[in-house]
Amino acid sequence: MSRVLNLIELARFPIHEQLLLEEKLLRNCDAFYCLTNFGAPPAYVLPISAKKEDWLDDVHHPIVRRYTGGGGVVID
């Protein structure tokens, strides 16, 4: 059985919008996808259960919570 990997290249796409797209693909498609996003604006992605105060002291960029949980990520 062969599998096809669909590549979606984004450019300067805000991370919140990217995560919404990932969620739609995960929930509605059986195909395999790889998303790349070059030049995304700075942001912090926190796990769903993380407390902002425990992770970040001085926040200058948007904070997004990942719907699946996962680890924390700094987009810079």
Side-chain angles (χ1 to χ4, degrees):
M1 175 179 162
S2 64
R3 295 182 178 175
V4 174
L5 177 64
N6 297 289
L7 176 63
I8 299 176
E9 294 179 339
L10 306 171
R12 296 178 296 279
F13 215 65
I15 192 64
H16 182 257
E17 299 297 321
Q18 178 183 332
L19 291 172
L20 290 174
L21 176 58
E22 289 176 8
E23 181 179 1
K24 282 184 181 182
L25 292 171
L26 184 63
R27 292 181 187 264
N28 299 310
C29 300
D30 291 331
F32 295 96
Y33 289 91
C34 174
L35 279 72
T36 61
N37 188 2
F38 297 100
Y44 300 103
V45 180
L46 296 183
I48 198 76
S49 62
K51 294 180 182 174
K52 177 177 68 170
E53 317 69 59
D54 295 342
W55 284 66
L56 306 168
D57 291 331
D58 193 18
V59 179
H60 296 291
H61 302 296
I63 298 172
V64 179
R65 294 204 183 270
R66 186 188 310 265
Y67 83 99
T68 57
V73 178
V74 175
I75 309 297
D76 66 352

